[in-house]
Amino acid sequence: MSKSRFARIAGTGSYLPALRLSNQDLVDRLAKEGVETSDDWIKTRSGISARHFAAPDELTSDLAVKAAQGAMMEAQWNADDIELIILATSTPDHLGGFPSTACVIQDKLGLRNGCAAFDVQAVCAGFSYALSTADAFIRAGMYQKILVIGAEVFSRILDFKDRGTCVLFGDGAGAVALEASDQAGILASALHADGSQRDILCVPGRATCGGIEGVPFLRMDGQSVFKLAVKVLEQVAHEVLQKANMQPEQIDWLVPHQANIRIMEGTARKMGMSMDRVIVTVHEHGNTSAASIPLALDHGIRSGQIKRGQHILLEGVGGGFAWGAVVLRY
Ligand code: UT7
């Protein structure tokens, strides 16, 4: 293996379902169910103004395919050259993720080349996990071209009677076409998990012989998640920068998981970065879990903010508890 073999982003893409609900749209919808909330509460506590929800017949794989097609077009890839599809998701098309949604995506993309395909389950840290997995495959010389996708339909696991969670999440997909290159590339990544904290953000229900035992909706202890997220994001940012032998001031853009503007502001402040070096999409997308980082990355690139040659720090955190960060040169 050549020492100069990097995994480099050749293209990005993203997709949001057509249905956009402003906070007020959601407030009105919830009021009909007797659930009280307000645009002001949602905006002040989370920074969210709107989110997109998938249509009833739209699956995670459908969102993912649209994002992937955008990334493939940008990268000018021949579909048959794709050797691996990695999908980060916690809302797979099928119960238990069986078959993997990555296999469904392969079929829906019309790929008949037998490329490998699998899902990664690390909730909101999923894209960081998927990207560093793809990086490792490329560095090892096993593959040249990998589609890395984050896609979710969290609206399907929201309890619209639980105002503490249902106002925060949305649906969407983002994708990266990652290819082997002698130019940098992903420079370093760091992944962590703490399973002892699994109950603070989870879907407690289980499939049982044709039924579901327990709650089939997302449950979150928001304050515990908030505190832990702020702590581990700072730690992992410093860790990954150290691995890449870089200082925070060398980072042009922070592309954080889009869960809460206050968490993003806290992370940026601790890194000594001003908010005009942070890509923010949470106001329009809400929290799209594994899709949030690639959605924000694609937005940053397509809006002209992120430019070739710039250094980017991506970081995600969520259920598991799992978290991770990646530093790359775009
Ligand atoms: O993607 C994985 C990572 N996830 C996250 O990072 C999320 C982390 N957590 C958070 O972002 C925040 O904790 C929340 C946005 C979820 C909540 O903000 P908070 O400032 O921690 O609020 P809180 O949970 O302490 O609730 C404050 C009050 C409570 O009322 P009382 O007990 O003070 O009377 C809640 O009942 O706000 C009430 N409340 C609401 N009020 C209106 C909770 N949800 C709502 C709502 N509308 N939707």
Side-chain angles (χ1 to χ4, degrees):
M1 181 187 108
S2 147
K3 272 211 152 80
S4 60
R5 187 184 174 96
F6 288 102
R8 181 173 170 273
I9 294 180
T12 61
S14 63
Y15 175 74
L16 290 164
L19 177 64
R20 175 186 181 274
L21 274 96
S22 69
N23 286 347
Q24 197 53 50
D25 294 333
L26 194 57
V27 168
D28 296 343
R29 178 172 157 175
L30 293 174
K32 288 185 196 140
E33 308 293 323
V35 176
E36 202 185 316
T37 184
S38 67
D39 173 42
D40 183 55
W41 190 95
I42 303 168
K43 249 188 222 149
T44 317
R45 302 285 174 146
S46 70
I48 297 167
S49 299
R51 77 285 295 138
H52 291 246
F53 283 164
D57 60 348
E58 254 182 330
L59 302 175
T60 291
S61 57
D62 298 314
L63 275 52
V65 161
K66 291 193 170 117
Q69 284 167 335
M72 286 158 63
M73 191 181 291
E74 193 64 31
Q76 298 184 328
W77 276 7
N78 216 328
D80 279 343
D81 295 342
I82 294 167
E83 296 166 286
L84 170 64
I85 299 169
I86 306 180
L87 172 72
T89 191
S90 296
T91 47
D93 283 9
H94 296 279
L95 203 60
F98 177 5
S100 77
T101 303
C103 283
V104 182
I105 293 167
Q106 184 210 51
D107 182 43
K108 288 187 177 176
L109 280 172
L111 294 185
R112 298 289 176 263
N113 64 353
C115 72
F118 63 87
D119 293 356
V120 162
Q121 162 59 289
V123 199
C124 303
F127 191 76
S128 309
Y129 270 67
L131 195 61
S132 48
T133 303
D135 174 46
F137 272 122
I138 287 178
R139 278 178 190 264
M142 186 148 167
Y143 297 120
Q144 312 282 323
K145 286 185 167 59
I146 304 179
L147 262 182
V148 189
I149 311 168
E152 303 278 15
V153 287
F154 256 52
S155 58
R156 307 264 156 83
I157 54 166
L158 293 178
D159 178 356
F160 287 96
K161 299 227 175 316
D162 176 11
R163 66 178 184 169
T165 56
C166 71
V167 300
L168 301 174
F169 294 88
D171 303 339
V176 161
L178 200 68
E179 67 183 17
S181 170
D182 53 5
Q183 293 169 43
I186 293 179
L187 300 171
S189 54
L191 305 175
H192 293 282
D194 178 358
S196 73
Q197 298 297 320
R198 65 189 180 279
D199 290 339
I200 62 174
L201 176 52
C202 61
V203 178
R206 293 191 174 88
T208 55
C209 306
I212 290 170
E213 180 188 285
V215 178
F217 297 119
L218 179 152
R219 290 284 182 257
M220 177 168 75
D221 172 350
Q223 288 197 4
S224 300
V225 171
F226 192 103
K227 281 185 208 143
L228 198 50
V230 168
K231 184 176 127 195
V232 299
L233 285 176
E234 185 190 5
Q235 286 170 354
V236 79
H238 286 296
E239 180 189 346
V240 79
L241 285 176
Q242 201 172 9
K243 278 188 171 181
N245 205 13
M246 289 178 73
Q247 300 298 321
E249 51 273 21
Q250 292 174 274
I251 295 296
D252 297 291
W253 293 101
L254 176 63
V255 184
H257 171 46
Q258 309 283 317
N260 187 317
I261 189 71
R262 292 184 290 143
I263 297 179
M264 290 186 250
E265 286 166 351
T267 310
R269 195 167 46 245
K270 286 180 175 174
M271 307 270 306
M273 294 177 75
S274 69
M275 282 305 284
D276 42 347
R277 284 163 63 202
V278 182
I279 301 291
V280 176
T281 54
V282 70
H283 54 295
E284 266 299 311
H285 299 175
N287 182 346
T288 57
S289 191
S292 96
I293 292 177
L295 264 165
L297 181 64
D298 187 53
H299 172 82
I301 290 169
R302 286 179 193 259
S303 64
Q305 292 168 280
I306 298 175
K307 296 186 178 62
R308 280 282 173 201
Q310 289 188 322
H311 289 96
I312 303 170
L313 172 58
L314 314 173
E315 52 174 16
V317 61
F321 213 68
W323 61 99
V326 177
V327 181
L328 60 91
R329 186 160 170 230
Y330 175 60

